Amino acid sequence: MIWEIDDAARTIEGLDAHGRPMPGYAASLGLLPARPGQRVLATLCEAAIALILLLPLLIVALPVLVGAALDPEPQQVLATRSDLIIVLICAAASWFLSIAFIIVRARRCTAAAG
């Protein structure tokens, strides 16, 4: 059996010669561009989701860390806190959830564009 590699350039439907989407093709599929109000609303929804993901950091961890930073001996202040593990877990959870949200949004945007 002989394997052959197809070197011919493949054409993708809906793209012009420069690789840009053709508006007429998208309209024939029923795809319409979003109105500016819809885009603003989508952006506000994503910002609200990001803020919700950061709430544990903002409510629990940030006041503790700011208080420690303003103290002359921040290590001593943090070492004597009995709830330091909870503060660190809240900060880490917010960080990981925010990074996951950013990665998912980036993947969706690149999948939609390509």
Side-chain angles (χ1 to χ4, degrees), residues 66-88:
V66 169
L70 295 176
D71 197 89
E73 298 211 16
Q75 297 89 356
Q76 185 66 26
V77 171
L78 291 176
T80 58
R81 287 195 65 92
S82 61
D83 62 345
L84 184 60
I85 297 297
I86 294 172
V87 170
L88 294 176

Side-chain angles (χ1 to χ4, degrees), residues 1 4 18 20 25 27-28 32 37 40 42-43 45 64 66-67 75 77 81 94 96-97 99 101 107:
M1 178 181 271
E4 294 182 10
H18 301 289
R20 295 182 300 239
Y25 181 77
S28 71
L32 301 173
V40 169
T43 302
C45 288
V64 172
V66 169
Q75 297 89 356
V77 171
R81 287 195 65 92
S94 285
F96 283 120
L97 290 172
I99 294 297
F101 180 70
R107 285 186 139 195

Side-chain angles (χ1 to χ4, degrees), residues 49-62 87-102:
I49 291 170
L51 183 63
I52 289 169
L53 294 176
L54 287 172
L55 279 178
L57 175 70
L58 296 174
I59 293 173
V60 178
L62 194 61
V87 170
L88 294 176
I89 289 172
C90 288
S94 285
W95 188 79
F96 283 120
L97 290 172
S98 298
I99 294 297
F101 180 70
I102 291 168

